[in-house]
Each structure stands twice: as C-alpha cells, then as structure tokens.
Amino acid sequence: MAKKTDPGAGGSPPKRKRPEPEGGDGRGGNGGGDIDTNLHEEARRRYLNYALSVITSRALPDVRDGLKPVQRRILYTMFNDEHLYPDGRYRKSATVVGAVLGKYHPHGDSSVYDAMVRMAQDFSLRAPLVDGHGNFGSLDGDPPAAYRYTEAKLTPLAMQLLEELRRKTVEYRANYDGSTTEPVVLPARFPNLLVNGATGIAVGMATNIPPHNLAEIIEALVALIDDPTLETKDLVKFIKGPDFPTGGQILNNRKELRDIYEQGTGAVRVRGEYKLEEGKRGQVSIIITSIPYALTRASIVEAIAEIITARKMPQLLDVRDESTTDVRVVMEIKKEADPTLIMAYLYKHTPLQQNFNVNMTCLIPTPGNVEIGTPSRLDLKSMLKHFLDFRLLVVTRRFQHELDELRRRIHILEGLATIFDALDEVIKIIRKSEGKADAAQKLIKRFELDDEQTEAILELKLYKLARLEILMIQEELDAKRKEATRIQGILGSEKRLWTVIKHELGEVSTEFADKRRTKVGGVGEEPEFTEEHFIIAEDANVVLTRDGWVKRVRELKDPSTTRTREGDEVTDVLAGSTRESVVFFTNFGTAYSVRINDIPPSTGYGDPVQKLFKFKDGEKVVAAMSLDPRARRPENLLAVSRAGYGLRFALAPHAELSTRAGRKFARPADADEIVGVYPADDKDIVCVATEKGHVLLCKAEDVNVLANPGRGVTVIKVDDDDKVIGFGVARGKHDKPFAIESAGGKQFEIGPSEQRLAARGSKGHRLQKTTFKLVAPAVRVTTFTSPEVN
C-alpha cells in the first residue's frame, strides 16, 4: 500500500480510489485510501465509460422520438422555457443556445447551434423542426450566419413531438446539475427517426438512417397495427424507399431495397436528375434538376468544371449554376453531342451519382432503466414496432392523466352540487364562523366533505350561486362523468387504444404529408460507354526527356526543336492515337500505362511524369513504348539490371491502363535497379556492357520468360566494383544497338559484327583495362506504317 502524501507538499499525488465492490462502504470511487491498480485496467474502464457516454448521450438517436440528446434539448428549451410556438414570434438563436447550454447541455455552443441549424434546413431534414429566420445556410454549401444574427421558433410539425409533454406522458430526469428536469424522450406523434433520418459516429459504431416520406411511413404503421404479423417484406409495399429532401433518383430495385430494410444495412445508389432544354438555334442544354442527398451544388459544379478544364470531355463546353430555391445547373454541350453519353460519363466521374450507406443503428429502450438506451441495429419492422409500442404507452399515459384530471374536477363538482340544495344553511354557517379555517371545519362536519371540496366552496364567487350558474355546474358534472366513463372504456380496451392511435396518425398524415421527392427505379437501359466515346481520335506525339518530363504535342518534325528545361534533352518521341496508350518502365521494375489523351498537352516543358503516377523516392523512367497497334508491339520485352540480371516478360499484361501505383514487371534486389527495357524475340541478340569494359553478347532465348515479376537470371557476371552501364537488342548481324566510350575518349560500338557471342552468365570479354561510360543514344522515335488513325 502506497503511503498517502499531500499533493501540495511536493510529494507524489495520491492514487485514484477505485470503486468499491458491491457490499463495500458505498463511497464509490471518490473516497477512502489508496489502492494499487493496473494501468491497462484503468485505461479500459475509463475508455468504456467514455464510449458509453458518446453512444448514449451524443451520437445515436432514440428509436422512439428519433432525436439525439442535443436535438431533444433544443426543442424542449424552445417549447418549455422560451415558448417559441409556431404562431408566436421569432427569438434570437443566441437566446436559445444560451438557454440550452445553461440548463441542459453543458458542452460547446457550436454543437448546439450546428444541431439547431440542421433542424432548420429543408435540404438536410425531410421535415424541418425549427423555423429559421435569417441565413441558415444553403444548398450551395454557404455556412449559416452567427447565432447573434439569426432567429428561430418551432415548426407546426415539431409541436407534434412536444405537445403531449403537458399531459405527463413521458418520464423526466434531472439535468446535469440537478437544478431542474428534462424529458428522457419526447412523446412523438410520428416516427421522426424514419421521417428525418439520422447520421452519427459513436465509438465502435455509427448510424446513417435515410429520411422517408411521412405519408408512406404512416401508411405502413397503420398496416402494422391492423396486422401485427406483417414482416419487413410486406411493409416495403407501403414504403417505396428513402425520400431525400434534395430529390434525386434511387437506382436500387425492389429486392435490393427489401434486403437493405431487412438487414438494416446496405448501399442505396442515388443519382441526380436532369432534363434537356432547347435554346436558340436548336442548341440543346442539359439541366441538372436535383442532386444526391448531403451534397452541395457547388461541389457538383466544381467537379464538372474540372472535367471541362482538363478537356476530358470535349463535347461539354460550359457549366453554370442558375439555381434559386430549386436546383438548376446548366451545361452547354456541342450540337452533335449525345446528352445521354455525357450524363453517363458524369454519373461515373462526378458526385452526381453516389451511394448512401444505410446503417439503421439506434438506441432502444432498456427494460428497467428509462434513462439509458441500448444500441442496436434494427430492421424496418422492428423500428416501426418500437415506435408503436412507445406510442401505445404515451397514449395510455395521456388518457390516464386526462382521467385523473377529470376525476379531480368531478370530485370538486360533486362537493359543489352537495351544497346547492342547502345554500342558505351554508351561508349561515360561514357567517357565524370565526374565520376560514373555522368555516371549513364546520362545513366538513355538516356535509361530510373533504378539504379539497371545502376549499373550492369557500373560494366560490358569489355570482356562481345564481340559478343559471348552478345549472351550468350541474351540466358540467354530467358531461365530465360521461367523458370519464368514455376514457375508462378506452383504457380498458387495447383495441380502442389502437383505434385512437390510428386516427391520430391519420391526422398527422393529412396535415403534414407531401408528395414524394425522390423517384425510385425507372432507369431503363443506359448506353454502354467507354472513355473513347469522349476522346477525339487524332494522332499525337508523346515527348519524354531524360529528366522525366513528359508532354503531348500534335506534330513534331524535329525533336531537337521542342522546348526542354536547361540541361535536359529528349530521349523518346512516341507516336499514337489519342485513344491509345503508352507505357513507362521505371528503374524500380514498375510499368505505368496511361492513355495518350490523359497526358497534358503543352507547348512548353510539359509536366514531371511522376505527376501522373505514384513514384517512390528515386524512381525514374528508363524506357517508354507506344501501344498504338500501328506501331510494333512485340510479344516479349527484355529488362536488364545494374547487377547483370535479366528477365523477359510479356507485354500483354501492361497493355491495359494501370492505376497510379502501376504494375510490377520485375523485382530487382534492394541495391539493384533496372537499366532499361527493350523488345526481344527469341532470335534476337542481347548486348550488354559494364563500366569496367566487359562486353557480353548472348541469345535472347537464353533469358527466361517469367510469368510473374522476379529478379531474373544472370546475363553477365559483374564484380562487386563493377556495374552494367548499357544494353541493347540486335535483330540483325550488322545491328549496333549502342556504343560506349573509354576514359581515353575512344568509342566502341556494341553489336554482333563487332563482338562474338558468349555463354550467358559469363563475364564476356574485356575491351580495355579502363573505365567506360555509355554514349548518349539518339532520340528513339516511334513511327507508323500508315498515317491514318485506326
């Protein structure tokens, strides 16, 4: 046991007292002495406490009223404390935020105001609960004004969540400092969780419930009341799918939607809608009329503008946002362009089509504990069933409260009726009494009344003793007795309770339901499209420099005339159609394939090739090849490394477009790298030279073709202080694929006519006892047999 010390005396602070086990002294974790505890146990306990708090008190909505605690506190404050009813005046948002923070939500003001703003946005909630006055943000992504500038009050629909609070229909709990109370849940008259949806990230779990159409949800609730045996597959006949406030179109078929509702999870594919509009001189424009949920118009316009700027779709000329309260994004296209193909491209390459990932996780009531809910992922039927069970409890408690109030009033009226036949005697007793208390005692004794009835008699105004007023009191008594009998009958019959619930649901639907905004299905066959549909087929040249700069030019008669950076020079000119691709091979054994049209055109230096791909540190291009079918496309390629290893590999896997990460064709050792890549058939001759002047020529067929990337076999044996400086492939006896230069300045051409063949894997023969360097080769230019684009 560690000795307790005074924190202020310079010693170690006292250890934290762990909670006592059941049967201890009852002081919990805040009293007593010190005990030793393991760090991992303490961290685990504290993290679990934090996780529980986030799950139950911040991130997840309650299945009954569909609200998170901060939303519930905002609405309750506006209703109970500030009285901001729909028929009243607006009040500064700062007042609401301050009241919520001061009484119910001891967190940051931004968390409260952000939640309040969202409940006021008609593009965030399918049925807004706050009536905002001022700038509450827009679908363009504009932020709301500060809360000192905006005003708010409740919407009529929000009152459907709150009105029954006056009738003791739900439980209350103490607020954070015990100074007042707040409702555990609001007595919602409609399933707000499904109507408005919810989004939240907790610890280890999240929720993402889409909004729905109020009329469809209520129709499903009524059907479930009439037939409790209905399953989710039956309920989706009434609920066609999510109904987003921003409209759009759902692409999922009925089976997919049914599976999502049955499992409580899945992806809803949503896309924006468009129409065609004919302008002057027959010019057709594409008008986007709706966008997917939770997106801004600005993000859509920006994505389309980037496509136009990058010239990825020449048929699309311009885009502009002409939206007001409705979405209207105008796209100008070329006269001969196909709008369907353009939209197919935009759906694939912009946020105009995306998935809404459904996760129907929420808090459900915990038996025996009204304050803490249990997180659970529900299917559609379970979610509706939980709401109906809650609604039955609320309506029962409401009727019981009304019955108690009626009985209290009947009791008073019965006391008044008792003395109406003896008014003269009552007046005489009161006049002879010594005061109110004495009069009360005498009336109780004479007429067998209780304190409550006696108090009502003594407080009765004299005009109430008129005959007409007495008759009215007697009529009220009869009416109250009949009403009490009616309510007793309802409380005694669950069937009649459900009839009341159905009637009230119908009233909510009649008053607040509107038409569906999001279409479900209806997408017919769409045109099959590829990138080539939007690329103008024309011949071009890809220019690559020694330092790795690349650009696309239309024509290039003389490579030496093109612009390059100071000290740089052109190494490759690759001709090809803009619809074809080129492949770049790097010293790290990776091949990167890209469409020629995607290489930025330039009349200047171009761009670094690593801008197009994800290069590692020190990675550089050592070879490039056009994949245009009019150029020679060999079956196999040969790569040789600095350490003298070589391998052949098939070109076919690298003819397809690659990702930015590329595809591996070789795996050189850590201290090794690829020198170059050349086409190599079986009958070709491989020529290799090293820095120490060793030269080896061998048959290409002696180098194995690898099915998978690897190091390869030894082509030339290289000493530790030596390395390969160049290699090439000779296709004829007189070919001289490259040359090297000695330290003395003498050049040697390497080829079958100059050197003899040797066995693969040997050191070859040495030209001179000196060092050599590679003579810069001429620019490699790809040419066509036919000038026309295929």
Side-chain angles (χ1 to χ4, degrees):
M1 176 75 68
K3 186 176 180 181
K4 191 169 185 178
T5 60
D6 182 3
S12 302
K15 296 181 181 178
R16 187 185 187 281
K17 170 69 176 176
R18 289 296 306 276
E20 290 288 342
E22 188 173 343
D25 64 5
R27 290 176 295 176
N30 297 320
D34 305 321
I35 62 171
D36 291 326
T37 180
N38 292 323
L39 177 61
H40 72 275
E41 291 180 355
E42 189 71 8
R44 177 176 179 273
R45 184 182 65 82
R46 295 192 180 201
Y47 183 76
L48 288 176
N49 289 341
Y50 164 75
L52 181 63
S53 174
V54 172
I55 291 170
T56 60
S57 301
R58 285 174 59 185
L60 297 186
D62 194 292
V63 70
R64 294 167 289 183
D65 62 4
L67 299 172
K68 299 178 185 179
V70 64
Q71 297 170 323
R72 186 179 302 116
R73 288 163 178 165
I74 291 169
L75 297 178
Y76 180 66
T77 299
M78 296 177 73
F79 174 79
N80 184 72
D81 300 322
E82 302 301 325
H83 310 297
L84 300 178
Y85 306 136
D87 56 353
R89 61 186 178 86
Y90 291 95
R91 192 84 178 269
K92 282 286 187 182
S93 299
T95 302
V96 178
V97 173
V100 173
L101 292 177
K103 288 187 176 181
Y104 308 109
H105 199 70
H107 299 285
D109 58 346
S110 61
S111 65
V112 176
Y113 188 52
D114 289 348
M116 181 177 173
V117 165
R118 179 176 170 79
M119 289 192 290
Q121 293 174 335
D122 58 2
F123 53 87
S124 294
L125 264 63
R126 186 62 179 81
L129 303 175
V130 173
D131 182 0
H133 183 66
N135 176 17
F136 276 80
S138 72
L139 194 55
D140 277 328
D142 300 321
Y147 51 57
R148 62 183 178 273
Y149 299 121
T150 61
E151 298 178 329
K153 62 181 179 179
L154 294 168
T155 64
L157 184 63
M159 297 300 290
Q160 301 297 316
L161 298 175
L162 296 157
E163 275 183 328
E164 292 174 319
L165 283 173
R166 300 187 177 102
R167 304 181 187 180
K168 298 182 180 180
T169 51
V170 294
E171 298 288 341
Y172 281 70
R173 61 185 167 198
N175 68 338
Y176 68 91
D177 64 357
S179 61
T180 185
T181 58
E182 62 177 321
V184 174
V185 65
L186 299 184
R189 292 186 68 186
F190 69 96
N192 178 61
L193 183 57
L194 282 171
V195 171
N196 278 321
T199 299
I201 300 175
V203 178
M205 62 182 65
T207 185
N208 202 28
I209 302 172
H212 293 79
N213 184 269
L214 176 63
E216 293 178 4
I217 294 296
I218 289 180
E219 191 176 357
L221 285 171
V222 171
L224 190 58
I225 292 173
D226 291 336
D227 185 1
T229 63
L230 292 178
E231 298 295 334
T232 296
K233 64 180 181 180
D234 305 308
L235 296 172
V236 294
K237 296 176 182 177
F238 306 97
I239 302 174
K240 298 179 177 63
D243 188 18
F244 300 106
T246 54
Q249 187 171 24
I250 294 174
L251 306 181
N252 303 66
N253 57 40
R254 289 187 177 182
K255 182 182 183 305
E256 290 172 336
L257 290 174
R258 185 185 68 217
D259 291 343
I260 291 172
Y261 284 125
E262 286 180 340
Q263 299 167 12
T265 183
V268 176
R269 302 190 303 278
V270 188
R271 65 166 48 168
E273 296 178 288
Y274 72 95
K275 65 180 181 179
L276 301 181
E277 193 172 275
E278 188 171 341
K280 298 178 180 179
R281 301 177 183 176
Q283 181 69 35
V284 175
S285 297
I286 301 175
I287 313 297
I288 297 174
T289 57
S290 67
I291 62 176
Y293 182 55
L295 284 182
T296 62
R297 285 193 301 259
S299 64
I300 298 290
V301 174
E302 183 179 348
I304 297 173
E306 287 178 357
I307 290 174
I308 296 173
T309 303
R311 292 194 283 182
K312 293 182 179 179
M313 192 162 45
Q315 292 88 341
L316 188 55
L317 301 177
D318 191 21
V319 60
R320 61 182 180 273
D321 190 359
E322 297 181 353
S323 306
T324 52
T325 54
D326 297 325
V327 175
R328 180 180 170 83
V329 177
V330 181
M331 294 185 292
E332 294 182 4
I333 62 176
K334 288 185 177 180
K335 195 168 185 179
E336 69 278 4
D338 185 345
T340 308
L341 285 175
I342 290 176
M343 290 305 300
Y345 181 91
L346 294 179
Y347 284 140
K348 184 175 181 181
H349 293 89
T350 71
L352 262 177
Q353 178 174 320
Q354 59 179 219
N355 290 345
F356 184 95
N357 296 310
V358 176
N359 182 356
M360 296 172 68
T361 300
C362 56
L363 298 175
I364 62 175
T366 302
N369 189 340
V370 297
E371 294 194 16
I372 298 179
T374 302
S376 180
R377 180 184 292 165
L378 303 178
D379 59 12
L380 179 62
K381 179 184 178 179
S382 299
M383 196 167 282
L384 295 175
K385 186 68 168 59
H386 275 292
F387 173 78
L388 288 176
D389 291 343
F390 172 64
R391 191 66 199 148
L392 179 63
L393 177 62
V394 167
V395 172
T396 301
R397 294 184 64 165
R398 187 187 75 204
F399 276 126
Q400 187 61 54
H401 173 71
E402 290 178 3
L403 183 60
D404 293 341
E405 291 293 316
L406 281 171
R407 286 172 174 170
R408 189 175 297 111
R409 181 60 180 166
I410 289 172
H411 184 61
I412 297 296
L413 294 174
E414 287 176 341
L416 295 176
T418 300
I419 60 111
F420 283 159
D421 292 335
L423 283 176
D424 293 338
E425 184 179 357
V426 170
I427 294 172
K428 185 177 181 181
I429 292 174
I430 295 175
R431 290 189 65 182
K432 289 183 177 181
S433 63
E434 300 295 332
K436 184 177 180 181
D438 184 39
Q441 291 298 324
K442 291 178 179 178
L443 288 174
I444 292 173
K445 182 177 181 181
R446 170 65 182 85
F447 296 102
E448 297 182 354
L449 303 172
D450 60 19
D451 292 339
E452 191 174 11
Q453 291 173 318
T454 304
E455 179 70 17
I457 292 170
L458 293 174
E459 294 294 329
L460 191 67
K461 295 182 179 180
L462 288 176
Y463 78 87
K464 291 285 186 180
L465 301 180
R467 180 175 299 276
L468 184 60
E469 293 293 333
I470 293 174
L471 291 175
M472 290 177 61
I473 290 175
Q474 290 175 337
E475 289 176 0
E476 181 186 355
L477 177 60
D478 292 339
K480 289 288 191 291
R481 283 172 174 167
K482 291 179 180 178
E483 179 66 11
T485 302
R486 185 186 73 83
I487 292 177
Q488 283 179 319
I490 294 175
L491 287 172
S493 170
E494 186 171 308
K495 183 178 179 181
R496 293 182 66 180
L497 283 171
W498 283 121
T499 301
V500 172
I501 294 172
K502 284 169 56 177
H503 175 71
E504 291 176 350
L505 287 172
E507 288 179 338
V508 173
S509 179
T510 301
E511 185 174 356
F512 297 103
D514 58 2
K515 293 182 179 179
R516 166 173 278 275
R517 299 180 190 176
T518 302
K519 296 179 181 178
V520 179
V523 178
E525 280 191 28
E526 294 188 328
E528 193 79 23
F529 84 98
T530 62
E531 303 283 352
E532 287 75 13
H533 279 112
F534 308 105
I535 298 174
I536 298 175
E538 59 183 10
D539 282 340
N541 292 281
V542 176
V543 179
L544 177 69
T545 71
R546 184 191 64 234
D547 292 343
W549 286 70
V550 65
K551 62 183 175 180
R552 170 164 55 93
V553 297
R554 183 70 182 272
E555 293 181 356
L556 187 64
K557 295 180 180 179
D558 183 0
S560 63
T561 62
T562 189
R563 292 184 64 187
T564 59
R565 292 164 59 87
E566 185 176 352
D568 199 3
E569 59 184 353
V570 176
T571 58
D572 293 88
V573 177
L574 310 172
S577 166
T578 50
R579 291 187 174 182
E580 301 299 335
S581 55
V582 292
V583 58
F584 300 98
F585 301 97
T586 71
N587 57 330
F588 286 2
T590 305
Y592 300 88
S593 302
V594 62
R595 188 177 282 107
I596 292 177
N597 188 72
D598 293 334
I599 296 176
S602 175
T603 57
Y605 301 141
D607 294 298
V609 69
Q610 57 263 37
K611 187 177 180 180
L612 302 174
F613 312 108
K614 276 187 177 180
F615 275 20
K616 297 184 176 75
D617 291 341
E619 190 171 9
K620 60 183 179 180
V621 176
V622 295
M625 183 178 299
S626 172
L627 298 178
D628 192 296
R630 294 170 292 167
R632 180 174 182 263
R633 293 181 61 172
E635 182 179 351
N636 295 318
L637 302 175
L638 170 70
V640 175
S641 73
R642 295 284 182 198
Y645 291 95
L647 72 152
R648 287 198 294 160
F649 60 94
L651 173 63
H654 306 288
E656 298 294 328
L657 297 179
S658 70
T659 63
R660 285 174 54 84
R663 298 186 188 91
K664 298 295 289 186
F665 67 88
R667 296 190 183 277
D670 291 341
D672 198 5
E673 65 177 352
I674 300 298
V675 177
V677 177
Y678 290 97
D681 296 330
D682 289 345
K683 296 180 181 180
D684 294 338
I685 303 299
V686 180
C687 310
V688 186
T690 73
E691 188 178 44
K692 297 292 186 181
H694 291 278
V695 176
L696 182 139
L697 276 66
C698 68
K699 296 179 180 179
E701 63 184 358
D702 293 341
V703 180
N704 298 338
V705 177
L706 301 185
N708 297 305
R711 186 177 67 171
V713 297
T714 302
V715 177
I716 183 171
K717 192 173 183 181
V718 179
D719 294 334
D720 293 340
D721 59 347
D722 198 5
K723 63 182 178 181
V724 173
I725 58 173
F727 89 98
V729 175
R731 293 182 175 80
K733 184 176 180 181
H734 300 288
D735 280 354
K736 298 169 184 177
F738 68 99
I740 58 176
E741 183 179 330
S742 69
K746 185 177 180 179
Q747 291 191 2
F748 293 85
E749 293 181 323
I750 309 300
S753 63
E754 304 295 329
Q755 292 86 23
R756 64 182 181 274
L757 293 178
R760 178 187 64 78
S762 66
K763 283 190 174 184
H765 66 279
R766 193 171 188 183
L767 299 177
Q768 285 184 358
K769 289 187 177 181
T770 184
T771 58
F772 287 80
K773 66 178 181 179
L774 181 68
V775 176
V779 178
R780 295 181 288 267
V781 179
T782 301
T783 57
F784 296 145
T785 57
S786 169
E788 305 219 349
V789 178
N790 288 341

